[in-house]
Amino acid sequence: MNYKSLTDEMLLVYLRTGDEKAFREIYLRYWKKLFGLATQKLKDTAVTEELVQDIFLKLWERRSTLQIERLDAYLFTAARYAVINHIKSNLVQEKFAEYAQFHYSETSSITEEQLELDELIHVVEQQLNDLPEKTRRIFQMNRLEYHTIKEISSKLKVPERTVEYHLSQALKSLRYYLRDYLPTLLFFNFFL
């Protein structure tokens, strides 16, 4: 039998019965046309080849259940949808990549900031321990416990000027030892 002379309708009849020669003729008849259509839209021959092969694979796998009236319309519609789905898939992947990159860099930045803050806190604690006891206590009450100078003066039973002096000494000492951390201190609004 000469399959090249058969109409699309006859090829479909043979295809439904599992005739591989009918399938091969359909493939040879439409492969280049589908490839050309998809290549115009995608501009990527490797992807286009894969999409067209997939169309024919599905045609073969579903041959007994497909209700096709016009083979050419069915195949070109399948190609159009394959191209559209590929483009949508790429858009979703690009959006996800942008999202992941944004959130990864944001997370990375937060992690770096947290490490800097942890290191800063460690250095501040070390420097506080080097301060005289009274100076350290006044600094902690003011900067860490948020007591006013008047409250500290009242609690420690010392003049406000003494509280101001010790606070000034603590800040001066900390600023000197923490000068390398100035950008981080400014970022976290410490000791300003």
Side-chain angles (χ1 to χ4, degrees):
M1 182 185 316
N2 184 3
Y3 286 90
K4 288 182 182 183
S5 63
L6 294 176
T7 64
D8 285 352
E9 291 78 18
M10 287 306 297
L11 288 172
L12 281 172
V13 170
Y14 287 116
L15 176 68
R16 285 188 188 104
T17 64
D19 189 329
E20 291 180 23
K21 291 179 182 176
F23 175 75
R24 188 174 297 119
E25 178 56 32
I26 293 170
Y27 181 84
L28 292 173
R29 201 174 280 186
Y30 287 101
W31 188 88
K32 284 184 183 178
K33 294 174 185 175
L34 296 176
F35 181 78
L37 172 74
T39 303
Q40 286 177 347
K41 303 293 182 192
L42 295 178
K43 310 288 190 242
D44 185 339
T45 56
V47 171
T48 303
E49 248 180 64
E50 191 176 320
L51 291 178
V52 172
Q53 291 295 339
D54 196 41
I55 291 167
F56 282 106
L57 177 64
K58 287 177 183 173
L59 177 67
W60 176 254
E61 289 173 343
R62 300 174 184 166
R63 66 189 176 276
S64 59
T65 59
L66 288 175
Q67 300 296 320
I68 302 172
E69 291 183 29
R70 285 192 45 219
L71 181 61
D72 59 343
Y74 171 83
L75 292 173
F76 286 115
T77 301
R80 228 176 284 120
Y81 280 115
V83 168
I84 290 168
N85 289 337
H86 178 76
I87 292 170
K88 280 183 185 177
S89 173
N90 278 356
L91 288 174
V92 168
Q93 288 174 355
E94 287 173 15
K95 293 284 186 197
F96 178 76
E98 289 172 13
Y99 173 83
Q101 183 179 8
F102 172 76
H103 286 288
Y104 172 76
S105 65
E106 187 177 275
T107 303
S108 174
S109 173
I110 290 170
T111 303
E112 288 175 25
E113 290 169 4
Q114 186 61 47
L115 289 173
E116 288 175 5
L117 180 60
D118 291 346
E119 182 181 350
L120 175 64
I121 289 170
H122 177 72
V123 171
V124 168
E125 287 172 349
Q126 276 184 319
Q127 295 309 313
L128 284 176
N129 288 334
D130 290 345
L131 293 174
E133 176 64 32
K134 191 174 215 172
T135 306
R136 179 175 61 243
R137 181 69 189 128
I138 288 172
F139 176 83
Q140 286 175 332
M141 290 175 77
N142 181 259
R143 298 297 174 149
L144 303 177
E145 298 170 15
Y146 306 106
H147 294 289
T148 65
I149 291 174
K150 190 174 194 164
E151 291 172 337
I152 296 169
S153 171
S154 172
K155 282 185 180 185
L156 297 180
K157 298 186 181 2
V158 295
E160 288 182 23
R161 295 284 294 152
T162 302
V163 173
E164 290 171 355
Y165 169 78
H166 283 287
L167 194 54
S168 163
Q169 291 301 309
L171 290 171
K172 187 186 297 183
S173 175
L174 286 171
R175 281 189 190 117
Y176 175 77
Y177 286 110
L178 299 174
R179 66 188 175 274
D180 295 336
Y181 294 91
L182 185 59
T184 307
L185 291 170
L186 292 174
F187 181 77
F188 292 109
N189 292 321
F190 272 63
F191 315 124
L192 300 176

